[in-house]
Amino acid sequence: MCGIFGISGHDDAARLTHLGLYSLQHRGQESAGIIAVQDGKARGKVAMGLMGDTFGPDVLAKLPGRTALGHTRYSTAGASTIENAQPALVQFRGGHIALAHNGNLINATEIRDTLEANGSIFSSTMDSEVIVHRLARAMANRPEEQLAEALEGVEGAYALLVVVNDTLLASRDPHGWRPLAMGTLNGATVFASETCALDIVGATYVRDVEPGEIIAVDASGVRTLHMAGEAPLHRCVFEHVYFARPDSRVFGGSVHRARRELGRQLALEHPAAGADLVFAVPDSSNAAALGFSDESGLALEMALIRNHYVGRTFIQPTQAGRDAKVKVKYNAVREILDGKSVVMVDDSIVRGTTTRGLVAMVRAAGAREVHLRIASPPITGSCWYGIDTPDKKELIGANMSVDQIGTHLGVDSLGYLSLEGMLGSVPGGPDGFCDACFSGRYPTRAPTIAAKQRLG
Ligand code: AMP
């Protein structure tokens, strides 16, 4: 997954992009990059690691210009290497192109094969690079028309920010898989994956970039065009369940409200009669635990403490790294748990590794009974559209029944929210969401195996 941010029409474009990316850091921690444009010249830096680690005032001072775009990345297509860090920046016959992409393309391999057969030389293994090549070849006049031409036949999920010379372009795929919000700041136009990044720079939210829309911003103003064809909405429900920050609005709805409602619905579907208290696995399920408490009347406690200096466990590339990190990341509060029957609320279970470690930790801190409640259905398939879910064989929900999972995790009871309960709880639902990782209803063909082997 990734976070993207762009701004046009502000003297401090690079500095504001830097700030915006800080609040999109949760969307990707492997690499970060900023490109700024001044007088037709693009300058930038991409680096492995977190924003704060590599982008100091010295770097930003070397990135002048009133237009900038940036990216935080964790790899879902292509390896975690500096060649794959974004924004991508290339020179072509018409000037320069910089591109930042959130999402996964379905047919990148086929497009790449065709381009390579015609002589294109690729410099990365990212799916996104095919869009750069297509754009460099586009014959249309205006940059927004060039992007529309480049995106013709590109399937899958994309929220894109692109700079073609001095024009900033923003676009979402026609199904609207990934979020992209538009804001304004003292006459400048700002785009960000989530509204929390508009807040941090002081921008006012205007609206979402619409599915299938391309917005162009440059000195001559803001223009918009819609790509041809009608397409059903497939907004990613997992943005609301886990991925986005609760202080953001995505797809026009509050993430906090969505999660609180998911928790409320969870308590209706799977009450835990006789329990003494409820607590969250912080931070992503805080609002869901609050909703569970609202509905059940159980006291909300803070029984798990999270160390904020450790990144998301899931992002660790090896299993050994993940196991060790559970204890580094969380600790239990004995004073709350000792002798109690407790409800532990989490947003989702992926491999079960973290959850199993947490249940053991909660028991070791004295809990008498542990009732686990999950604010989404079992994840039974990996995401083809940009969330880093592992292969089906590693997904506990794809390989065990709910009873088996409960036994494996060592809980007294386990309740997952139903699919209907989840879709009915998110703003703008129940229709128009992609729930493929929960339901197996993939709205597209699979990305080819060859794509995974070659690009992964
Ligand atoms: P596990 O028990 O190992 O399956 O880990 C479950 C935890 O992973 C939950 O607390 C989720 O909040 C978190 N999680 C779910 N999806 C993801 C993801 N795509 N990336 C990182 N963490 C995730």
PDB file of all heavy atoms in Angstrom, residues 74 238 242-243 281 284 312-315 322 330 346-356 358 379 387-389 396 409, ligand 1:
ATOM      1  N   TYR A  74       4.914   0.907   0.720  1.00  0.00           N
ATOM      2  CA  TYR A  74       5.321  -0.461   1.025  1.00  0.00           C
ATOM      3  C   TYR A  74       4.903  -1.329  -0.122  1.00  0.00           C
ATOM      4  O   TYR A  74       3.854  -1.110  -0.718  1.00  0.00           O
ATOM      5  CB  TYR A  74       4.905  -0.930   2.409  1.00  0.00           C
ATOM      6  CG  TYR A  74       3.551  -1.525   2.665  1.00  0.00           C
ATOM      7  CD1 TYR A  74       3.203  -2.773   2.175  1.00  0.00           C
ATOM      8  CD2 TYR A  74       2.651  -0.866   3.495  1.00  0.00           C
ATOM      9  CE1 TYR A  74       1.973  -3.345   2.488  1.00  0.00           C
ATOM     10  CE2 TYR A  74       1.431  -1.425   3.799  1.00  0.00           C
ATOM     11  CZ  TYR A  74       1.091  -2.666   3.288  1.00  0.00           C
ATOM     12  OH  TYR A  74      -0.110  -3.222   3.601  1.00  0.00           O
ATOM     13  N   PHE A 238     -11.512  -2.364   3.205  1.00  0.00           N
ATOM     14  CA  PHE A 238     -10.435  -2.531   4.190  1.00  0.00           C
ATOM     15  C   PHE A 238      -9.795  -1.193   4.586  1.00  0.00           C
ATOM     16  O   PHE A 238      -9.166  -1.094   5.641  1.00  0.00           O
ATOM     17  CB  PHE A 238      -9.387  -3.499   3.637  1.00  0.00           C
ATOM     18  CG  PHE A 238      -8.638  -4.260   4.712  1.00  0.00           C
ATOM     19  CD1 PHE A 238      -9.300  -5.101   5.581  1.00  0.00           C
ATOM     20  CD2 PHE A 238      -7.268  -4.121   4.849  1.00  0.00           C
ATOM     21  CE1 PHE A 238      -8.622  -5.791   6.571  1.00  0.00           C
ATOM     22  CE2 PHE A 238      -6.571  -4.804   5.841  1.00  0.00           C
ATOM     23  CZ  PHE A 238      -7.250  -5.649   6.705  1.00  0.00           C
ATOM     24  N   TYR A 242      -9.246  -1.183   8.506  1.00  0.00           N
ATOM     25  CA  TYR A 242      -7.903  -1.187   9.080  1.00  0.00           C
ATOM     26  C   TYR A 242      -6.989  -0.075   8.574  1.00  0.00           C
ATOM     27  O   TYR A 242      -6.245   0.524   9.347  1.00  0.00           O
ATOM     28  CB  TYR A 242      -7.221  -2.535   8.784  1.00  0.00           C
ATOM     29  CG  TYR A 242      -5.728  -2.525   9.055  1.00  0.00           C
ATOM     30  CD1 TYR A 242      -5.241  -2.642  10.349  1.00  0.00           C
ATOM     31  CD2 TYR A 242      -4.818  -2.368   8.003  1.00  0.00           C
ATOM     32  CE1 TYR A 242      -3.878  -2.601  10.603  1.00  0.00           C
ATOM     33  CE2 TYR A 242      -3.452  -2.332   8.255  1.00  0.00           C
ATOM     34  CZ  TYR A 242      -2.992  -2.444   9.544  1.00  0.00           C
ATOM     35  OH  TYR A 242      -1.653  -2.397   9.785  1.00  0.00           O
ATOM     36  N   PHE A 243      -7.012   0.169   7.270  1.00  0.00           N
ATOM     37  CA  PHE A 243      -5.857   0.841   6.707  1.00  0.00           C
ATOM     38  C   PHE A 243      -5.766   2.335   6.979  1.00  0.00           C
ATOM     39  O   PHE A 243      -4.726   2.847   7.376  1.00  0.00           O
ATOM     40  CB  PHE A 243      -5.766   0.567   5.191  1.00  0.00           C
ATOM     41  CG  PHE A 243      -4.350   0.587   4.767  1.00  0.00           C
ATOM     42  CD1 PHE A 243      -3.535  -0.496   5.030  1.00  0.00           C
ATOM     43  CD2 PHE A 243      -3.794   1.707   4.206  1.00  0.00           C
ATOM     44  CE1 PHE A 243      -2.201  -0.466   4.729  1.00  0.00           C
ATOM     45  CE2 PHE A 243      -2.457   1.754   3.902  1.00  0.00           C
ATOM     46  CZ  PHE A 243      -1.660   0.649   4.166  1.00  0.00           C
ATOM     47  N   VAL A 281      -7.067  -3.853  20.711  1.00  0.00           N
ATOM     48  CA  VAL A 281      -5.665  -4.017  20.330  1.00  0.00           C
ATOM     49  C   VAL A 281      -5.299  -2.690  19.662  1.00  0.00           C
ATOM     50  O   VAL A 281      -5.776  -2.391  18.576  1.00  0.00           O
ATOM     51  CB  VAL A 281      -5.490  -5.191  19.351  1.00  0.00           C
ATOM     52  CG1 VAL A 281      -4.038  -5.278  18.894  1.00  0.00           C
ATOM     53  CG2 VAL A 281      -5.953  -6.489  19.979  1.00  0.00           C
ATOM     54  N   SER A 284      -5.344   0.436  15.773  1.00  0.00           N
ATOM     55  CA  SER A 284      -6.314   0.384  14.673  1.00  0.00           C
ATOM     56  C   SER A 284      -7.704  -0.050  15.117  1.00  0.00           C
ATOM     57  O   SER A 284      -8.673   0.182  14.412  1.00  0.00           O
ATOM     58  CB  SER A 284      -5.786  -0.513  13.558  1.00  0.00           C
ATOM     59  OG  SER A 284      -5.323  -1.716  14.104  1.00  0.00           O
ATOM     60  N   ARG A 312       4.508  -1.247  12.058  1.00  0.00           N
ATOM     61  CA  ARG A 312       3.461  -2.258  11.988  1.00  0.00           C
ATOM     62  C   ARG A 312       4.075  -3.652  11.821  1.00  0.00           C
ATOM     63  O   ARG A 312       4.857  -3.873  10.911  1.00  0.00           O
ATOM     64  CB  ARG A 312       2.536  -1.954  10.810  1.00  0.00           C
ATOM     65  CG  ARG A 312       1.676  -0.760  11.087  1.00  0.00           C
ATOM     66  CD  ARG A 312       0.709  -0.516   9.956  1.00  0.00           C
ATOM     67  NE  ARG A 312      -0.284   0.450  10.402  1.00  0.00           N
ATOM     68  CZ  ARG A 312      -1.389   0.747   9.725  1.00  0.00           C
ATOM     69  NH1 ARG A 312      -1.645   0.162   8.610  1.00  0.00           N
ATOM     70  NH2 ARG A 312      -2.232   1.622  10.198  1.00  0.00           N
ATOM     71  N   THR A 313       3.699  -4.597  12.712  1.00  0.00           N
ATOM     72  CA  THR A 313       4.308  -5.934  12.733  1.00  0.00           C
ATOM     73  C   THR A 313       4.232  -6.609  11.379  1.00  0.00           C
ATOM     74  O   THR A 313       5.162  -7.263  10.939  1.00  0.00           O
ATOM     75  CB  THR A 313       3.583  -6.851  13.723  1.00  0.00           C
ATOM     76  OG1 THR A 313       2.196  -6.769  13.477  1.00  0.00           O
ATOM     77  CG2 THR A 313       3.901  -6.477  15.140  1.00  0.00           C
ATOM     78  N   PHE A 314       3.116  -6.440  10.751  1.00  0.00           N
ATOM     79  CA  PHE A 314       2.817  -7.133   9.511  1.00  0.00           C
ATOM     80  C   PHE A 314       3.823  -6.814   8.420  1.00  0.00           C
ATOM     81  O   PHE A 314       4.085  -7.605   7.521  1.00  0.00           O
ATOM     82  CB  PHE A 314       1.433  -6.653   9.094  1.00  0.00           C
ATOM     83  CG  PHE A 314       0.774  -7.471   8.063  1.00  0.00           C
ATOM     84  CD1 PHE A 314       0.046  -8.581   8.411  1.00  0.00           C
ATOM     85  CD2 PHE A 314       0.876  -7.124   6.732  1.00  0.00           C
ATOM     86  CE1 PHE A 314      -0.581  -9.331   7.460  1.00  0.00           C
ATOM     87  CE2 PHE A 314       0.248  -7.870   5.773  1.00  0.00           C
ATOM     88  CZ  PHE A 314      -0.483  -8.973   6.133  1.00  0.00           C
ATOM     89  N   ILE A 315       4.395  -5.650   8.499  1.00  0.00           N
ATOM     90  CA  ILE A 315       5.253  -5.189   7.429  1.00  0.00           C
ATOM     91  C   ILE A 315       6.640  -5.845   7.489  1.00  0.00           C
ATOM     92  O   ILE A 315       7.391  -5.827   6.528  1.00  0.00           O
ATOM     93  CB  ILE A 315       5.286  -3.640   7.446  1.00  0.00           C
ATOM     94  CG1 ILE A 315       3.927  -3.158   6.935  1.00  0.00           C
ATOM     95  CG2 ILE A 315       6.383  -3.047   6.599  1.00  0.00           C
ATOM     96  CD1 ILE A 315       3.641  -1.708   7.152  1.00  0.00           C
ATOM     97  N   ARG A 322       8.512 -11.034  12.598  1.00  0.00           N
ATOM     98  CA  ARG A 322       7.157 -10.747  13.068  1.00  0.00           C
ATOM     99  C   ARG A 322       6.931 -11.289  14.472  1.00  0.00           C
ATOM    100  O   ARG A 322       6.376 -10.622  15.330  1.00  0.00           O
ATOM    101  CB  ARG A 322       6.119 -11.359  12.113  1.00  0.00           C
ATOM    102  CG  ARG A 322       5.748 -10.445  10.977  1.00  0.00           C
ATOM    103  CD  ARG A 322       4.562 -10.987  10.236  1.00  0.00           C
ATOM    104  NE  ARG A 322       4.872 -12.263   9.618  1.00  0.00           N
ATOM    105  CZ  ARG A 322       5.364 -12.389   8.415  1.00  0.00           C
ATOM    106  NH1 ARG A 322       5.609 -11.340   7.684  1.00  0.00           N
ATOM    107  NH2 ARG A 322       5.631 -13.574   7.913  1.00  0.00           N
ATOM    108  N   TYR A 330       3.798  -4.715  22.008  1.00  0.00           N
ATOM    109  CA  TYR A 330       2.705  -4.612  22.981  1.00  0.00           C
ATOM    110  C   TYR A 330       3.117  -5.119  24.344  1.00  0.00           C
ATOM    111  O   TYR A 330       3.940  -6.023  24.465  1.00  0.00           O
ATOM    112  CB  TYR A 330       1.510  -5.477  22.541  1.00  0.00           C
ATOM    113  CG  TYR A 330       0.904  -5.097  21.229  1.00  0.00           C
ATOM    114  CD1 TYR A 330       1.203  -5.819  20.076  1.00  0.00           C
ATOM    115  CD2 TYR A 330       0.008  -4.034  21.125  1.00  0.00           C
ATOM    116  CE1 TYR A 330       0.634  -5.493  18.854  1.00  0.00           C
ATOM    117  CE2 TYR A 330      -0.574  -3.708  19.902  1.00  0.00           C
ATOM    118  CZ  TYR A 330      -0.250  -4.441  18.775  1.00  0.00           C
ATOM    119  OH  TYR A 330      -0.816  -4.112  17.575  1.00  0.00           O
ATOM    120  N   ASP A 346     -10.253  -6.728  18.021  1.00  0.00           N
ATOM    121  CA  ASP A 346      -9.277  -6.351  16.998  1.00  0.00           C
ATOM    122  C   ASP A 346     -10.014  -6.127  15.686  1.00  0.00           C
ATOM    123  O   ASP A 346     -11.129  -6.620  15.507  1.00  0.00           O
ATOM    124  CB  ASP A 346      -8.181  -7.403  16.856  1.00  0.00           C
ATOM    125  CG  ASP A 346      -6.878  -6.796  16.325  1.00  0.00           C
ATOM    126  OD1 ASP A 346      -6.896  -5.624  15.895  1.00  0.00           O
ATOM    127  OD2 ASP A 346      -5.853  -7.492  16.340  1.00  0.00           O
ATOM    128  N   ASP A 347      -9.385  -5.380  14.775  1.00  0.00           N
ATOM    129  CA  ASP A 347     -10.077  -5.080  13.523  1.00  0.00           C
ATOM    130  C   ASP A 347     -10.086  -6.254  12.573  1.00  0.00           C
ATOM    131  O   ASP A 347     -11.035  -6.448  11.816  1.00  0.00           O
ATOM    132  CB  ASP A 347      -9.426  -3.856  12.850  1.00  0.00           C
ATOM    133  CG  ASP A 347      -7.948  -4.038  12.675  1.00  0.00           C
ATOM    134  OD1 ASP A 347      -7.526  -4.582  11.640  1.00  0.00           O
ATOM    135  OD2 ASP A 347      -7.193  -3.653  13.589  1.00  0.00           O
ATOM    136  N   SER A 348      -8.999  -7.055  12.580  1.00  0.00           N
ATOM    137  CA  SER A 348      -8.899  -8.154  11.616  1.00  0.00           C
ATOM    138  C   SER A 348      -7.853  -9.155  12.087  1.00  0.00           C
ATOM    139  O   SER A 348      -7.010  -8.828  12.921  1.00  0.00           O
ATOM    140  CB  SER A 348      -8.507  -7.619  10.230  1.00  0.00           C
ATOM    141  OG  SER A 348      -7.289  -6.892  10.325  1.00  0.00           O
ATOM    142  N   ILE A 349      -7.944 -10.364  11.515  1.00  0.00           N
ATOM    143  CA  ILE A 349      -6.874 -11.346  11.726  1.00  0.00           C
ATOM    144  C   ILE A 349      -6.342 -11.703  10.349  1.00  0.00           C
ATOM    145  O   ILE A 349      -7.124 -11.976   9.432  1.00  0.00           O
ATOM    146  CB  ILE A 349      -7.379 -12.621  12.433  1.00  0.00           C
ATOM    147  CG1 ILE A 349      -8.031 -12.273  13.780  1.00  0.00           C
ATOM    148  CG2 ILE A 349      -6.227 -13.604  12.655  1.00  0.00           C
ATOM    149  CD1 ILE A 349      -8.577 -13.495  14.532  1.00  0.00           C
ATOM    150  N   VAL A 350      -5.041 -11.688  10.198  1.00  0.00           N
ATOM    151  CA  VAL A 350      -4.440 -12.003   8.907  1.00  0.00           C
ATOM    152  C   VAL A 350      -3.794 -13.396   8.995  1.00  0.00           C
ATOM    153  O   VAL A 350      -4.396 -14.405   8.643  1.00  0.00           O
ATOM    154  CB  VAL A 350      -3.429 -10.917   8.497  1.00  0.00           C
ATOM    155  CG1 VAL A 350      -2.857 -11.217   7.111  1.00  0.00           C
ATOM    156  CG2 VAL A 350      -4.083  -9.544   8.492  1.00  0.00           C
ATOM    157  N   ARG A 351      -2.603 -13.478   9.539  1.00  0.00           N
ATOM    158  CA  ARG A 351      -1.972 -14.782   9.721  1.00  0.00           C
ATOM    159  C   ARG A 351      -2.332 -15.403  11.065  1.00  0.00           C
ATOM    160  O   ARG A 351      -2.182 -16.595  11.276  1.00  0.00           O
ATOM    161  CB  ARG A 351      -0.450 -14.647   9.655  1.00  0.00           C
ATOM    162  CG  ARG A 351       0.086 -14.210   8.320  1.00  0.00           C
ATOM    163  CD  ARG A 351       1.609 -14.084   8.425  1.00  0.00           C
ATOM    164  NE  ARG A 351       2.227 -13.821   7.141  1.00  0.00           N
ATOM    165  CZ  ARG A 351       2.397 -12.618   6.629  1.00  0.00           C
ATOM    166  NH1 ARG A 351       1.959 -11.547   7.283  1.00  0.00           N
ATOM    167  NH2 ARG A 351       3.001 -12.467   5.465  1.00  0.00           N
ATOM    168  N   GLY A 352      -2.685 -14.575  12.009  1.00  0.00           N
ATOM    169  CA  GLY A 352      -2.973 -15.060  13.359  1.00  0.00           C
ATOM    170  C   GLY A 352      -1.771 -14.981  14.282  1.00  0.00           C
ATOM    171  O   GLY A 352      -1.882 -15.211  15.486  1.00  0.00           O
ATOM    172  N   THR A 353      -0.630 -14.646  13.749  1.00  0.00           N
ATOM    173  CA  THR A 353       0.611 -14.627  14.540  1.00  0.00           C
ATOM    174  C   THR A 353       0.556 -13.619  15.684  1.00  0.00           C
ATOM    175  O   THR A 353       0.828 -13.958  16.836  1.00  0.00           O
ATOM    176  CB  THR A 353       1.803 -14.225  13.630  1.00  0.00           C
ATOM    177  OG1 THR A 353       1.578 -14.743  12.343  1.00  0.00           O
ATOM    178  CG2 THR A 353       3.107 -14.705  14.188  1.00  0.00           C
ATOM    179  N   THR A 354       0.209 -12.392  15.344  1.00  0.00           N
ATOM    180  CA  THR A 354       0.159 -11.341  16.362  1.00  0.00           C
ATOM    181  C   THR A 354      -0.912 -11.667  17.388  1.00  0.00           C
ATOM    182  O   THR A 354      -0.681 -11.580  18.602  1.00  0.00           O
ATOM    183  CB  THR A 354      -0.200  -9.984  15.707  1.00  0.00           C
ATOM    184  OG1 THR A 354       0.591  -9.829  14.537  1.00  0.00           O
ATOM    185  CG2 THR A 354       0.030  -8.832  16.653  1.00  0.00           C
ATOM    186  N   THR A 355      -2.072 -12.050  16.882  1.00  0.00           N
ATOM    187  CA  THR A 355      -3.221 -12.296  17.757  1.00  0.00           C
ATOM    188  C   THR A 355      -2.907 -13.406  18.754  1.00  0.00           C
ATOM    189  O   THR A 355      -3.215 -13.291  19.948  1.00  0.00           O
ATOM    190  CB  THR A 355      -4.437 -12.677  16.897  1.00  0.00           C
ATOM    191  OG1 THR A 355      -4.489 -11.775  15.792  1.00  0.00           O
ATOM    192  CG2 THR A 355      -5.715 -12.581  17.682  1.00  0.00           C
ATOM    193  N   ARG A 356      -2.280 -14.462  18.282  1.00  0.00           N
ATOM    194  CA  ARG A 356      -1.955 -15.584  19.161  1.00  0.00           C
ATOM    195  C   ARG A 356      -1.007 -15.140  20.271  1.00  0.00           C
ATOM    196  O   ARG A 356      -1.182 -15.470  21.446  1.00  0.00           O
ATOM    197  CB  ARG A 356      -1.312 -16.693  18.328  1.00  0.00           C
ATOM    198  CG  ARG A 356      -1.258 -17.998  19.052  1.00  0.00           C
ATOM    199  CD  ARG A 356      -0.885 -19.101  18.088  1.00  0.00           C
ATOM    200  NE  ARG A 356      -0.912 -20.374  18.793  1.00  0.00           N
ATOM    201  CZ  ARG A 356      -0.097 -21.363  18.557  1.00  0.00           C
ATOM    202  NH1 ARG A 356       0.819 -21.240  17.627  1.00  0.00           N
ATOM    203  NH2 ARG A 356      -0.189 -22.478  19.236  1.00  0.00           N
ATOM    204  N   LEU A 358      -0.730 -12.153  21.416  1.00  0.00           N
ATOM    205  CA  LEU A 358      -1.445 -11.233  22.309  1.00  0.00           C
ATOM    206  C   LEU A 358      -2.343 -11.984  23.289  1.00  0.00           C
ATOM    207  O   LEU A 358      -2.426 -11.624  24.471  1.00  0.00           O
ATOM    208  CB  LEU A 358      -2.296 -10.246  21.492  1.00  0.00           C
ATOM    209  CG  LEU A 358      -1.514  -9.161  20.761  1.00  0.00           C
ATOM    210  CD1 LEU A 358      -2.432  -8.350  19.859  1.00  0.00           C
ATOM    211  CD2 LEU A 358      -0.802  -8.245  21.755  1.00  0.00           C
ATOM    212  N   ILE A 379     -10.538 -13.133   6.813  1.00  0.00           N
ATOM    213  CA  ILE A 379      -9.880 -12.819   5.531  1.00  0.00           C
ATOM    214  C   ILE A 379      -9.546 -14.156   4.870  1.00  0.00           C
ATOM    215  O   ILE A 379      -8.762 -14.944   5.408  1.00  0.00           O
ATOM    216  CB  ILE A 379      -8.606 -11.981   5.749  1.00  0.00           C
ATOM    217  CG1 ILE A 379      -8.975 -10.657   6.421  1.00  0.00           C
ATOM    218  CG2 ILE A 379      -7.894 -11.725   4.428  1.00  0.00           C
ATOM    219  CD1 ILE A 379      -7.786  -9.747   6.704  1.00  0.00           C
ATOM    220  N   ILE A 387      -3.572  -3.930  -1.133  1.00  0.00           N
ATOM    221  CA  ILE A 387      -3.303  -4.164   0.290  1.00  0.00           C
ATOM    222  C   ILE A 387      -2.353  -5.350   0.390  1.00  0.00           C
ATOM    223  O   ILE A 387      -2.504  -6.341  -0.330  1.00  0.00           O
ATOM    224  CB  ILE A 387      -4.604  -4.482   1.072  1.00  0.00           C
ATOM    225  CG1 ILE A 387      -5.605  -3.331   0.985  1.00  0.00           C
ATOM    226  CG2 ILE A 387      -4.294  -4.859   2.521  1.00  0.00           C
ATOM    227  CD1 ILE A 387      -5.469  -2.246   2.019  1.00  0.00           C
ATOM    228  N   ASP A 388      -1.411  -5.250   1.296  1.00  0.00           N
ATOM    229  CA  ASP A 388      -0.388  -6.280   1.398  1.00  0.00           C
ATOM    230  C   ASP A 388      -0.866  -7.467   2.231  1.00  0.00           C
ATOM    231  O   ASP A 388      -0.363  -7.722   3.313  1.00  0.00           O
ATOM    232  CB  ASP A 388       0.871  -5.659   2.022  1.00  0.00           C
ATOM    233  CG  ASP A 388       1.991  -6.672   2.113  1.00  0.00           C
ATOM    234  OD1 ASP A 388       1.983  -7.640   1.332  1.00  0.00           O
ATOM    235  OD2 ASP A 388       2.857  -6.503   2.985  1.00  0.00           O
ATOM    236  N   THR A 389      -1.870  -8.195   1.721  1.00  0.00           N
ATOM    237  CA  THR A 389      -2.231  -9.452   2.397  1.00  0.00           C
ATOM    238  C   THR A 389      -1.373 -10.556   1.804  1.00  0.00           C
ATOM    239  O   THR A 389      -1.098 -10.551   0.607  1.00  0.00           O
ATOM    240  CB  THR A 389      -3.727  -9.807   2.209  1.00  0.00           C
ATOM    241  OG1 THR A 389      -4.214  -9.187   1.036  1.00  0.00           O
ATOM    242  CG2 THR A 389      -4.552  -9.411   3.394  1.00  0.00           C
ATOM    243  N   ILE A 396      -4.905 -17.378   7.922  1.00  0.00           N
ATOM    244  CA  ILE A 396      -5.520 -18.342   8.829  1.00  0.00           C
ATOM    245  C   ILE A 396      -7.004 -18.525   8.498  1.00  0.00           C
ATOM    246  O   ILE A 396      -7.532 -19.639   8.566  1.00  0.00           O
ATOM    247  CB  ILE A 396      -5.270 -17.932  10.307  1.00  0.00           C
ATOM    248  CG1 ILE A 396      -5.536 -19.109  11.240  1.00  0.00           C
ATOM    249  CG2 ILE A 396      -6.063 -16.714  10.723  1.00  0.00           C
ATOM    250  CD1 ILE A 396      -5.026 -18.900  12.657  1.00  0.00           C
ATOM    251  N   LEU A 409      -5.821 -20.008  18.540  1.00  0.00           N
ATOM    252  CA  LEU A 409      -5.423 -18.761  19.191  1.00  0.00           C
ATOM    253  C   LEU A 409      -5.483 -18.865  20.716  1.00  0.00           C
ATOM    254  O   LEU A 409      -4.947 -18.001  21.424  1.00  0.00           O
ATOM    255  CB  LEU A 409      -6.311 -17.598  18.726  1.00  0.00           C
ATOM    256  CG  LEU A 409      -6.268 -17.271  17.229  1.00  0.00           C
ATOM    257  CD1 LEU A 409      -7.265 -16.162  16.904  1.00  0.00           C
ATOM    258  CD2 LEU A 409      -4.866 -16.841  16.797  1.00  0.00           C
TER     259      LEU A 409
HETATM  260  P1  AMP B   1      -2.123 -11.396  12.863  1.00  0.00           P
HETATM  261  O1  AMP B   1      -2.653 -11.882  14.180  1.00  0.00           O
HETATM  262  O2  AMP B   1      -0.692 -11.742  12.710  1.00  0.00           O
HETATM  263  O3  AMP B   1      -2.990 -11.858  11.761  1.00  0.00           O
HETATM  264  O4  AMP B   1      -2.154  -9.811  12.869  1.00  0.00           O
HETATM  265  C1  AMP B   1      -3.362  -9.170  13.081  1.00  0.00           C
HETATM  266  C2  AMP B   1      -3.098  -7.685  13.138  1.00  0.00           C
HETATM  267  O5  AMP B   1      -2.602  -7.232  11.880  1.00  0.00           O
HETATM  268  C3  AMP B   1      -4.354  -6.908  13.431  1.00  0.00           C
HETATM  269  O6  AMP B   1      -4.146  -6.224  14.636  1.00  0.00           O
HETATM  270  C4  AMP B   1      -4.513  -5.939  12.284  1.00  0.00           C
HETATM  271  O7  AMP B   1      -4.740  -4.648  12.787  1.00  0.00           O
HETATM  272  C5  AMP B   1      -3.205  -5.985  11.551  1.00  0.00           C
HETATM  273  N1  AMP B   1      -3.334  -5.941  10.090  1.00  0.00           N
HETATM  274  C6  AMP B   1      -4.367  -6.285   9.331  1.00  0.00           C
HETATM  275  N2  AMP B   1      -4.099  -6.094   8.028  1.00  0.00           N
HETATM  276  C7  AMP B   1      -2.868  -5.594   7.944  1.00  0.00           C
HETATM  277  C8  AMP B   1      -2.035  -5.151   6.872  1.00  0.00           C
HETATM  278  N3  AMP B   1      -2.418  -5.238   5.600  1.00  0.00           N
HETATM  279  N4  AMP B   1      -0.814  -4.665   7.198  1.00  0.00           N
HETATM  280  C9  AMP B   1      -0.416  -4.603   8.462  1.00  0.00           C
HETATM  281  N5  AMP B   1      -1.148  -5.008   9.519  1.00  0.00           N
HETATM  282  C10 AMP B   1      -2.368  -5.500   9.265  1.00  0.00           C
END
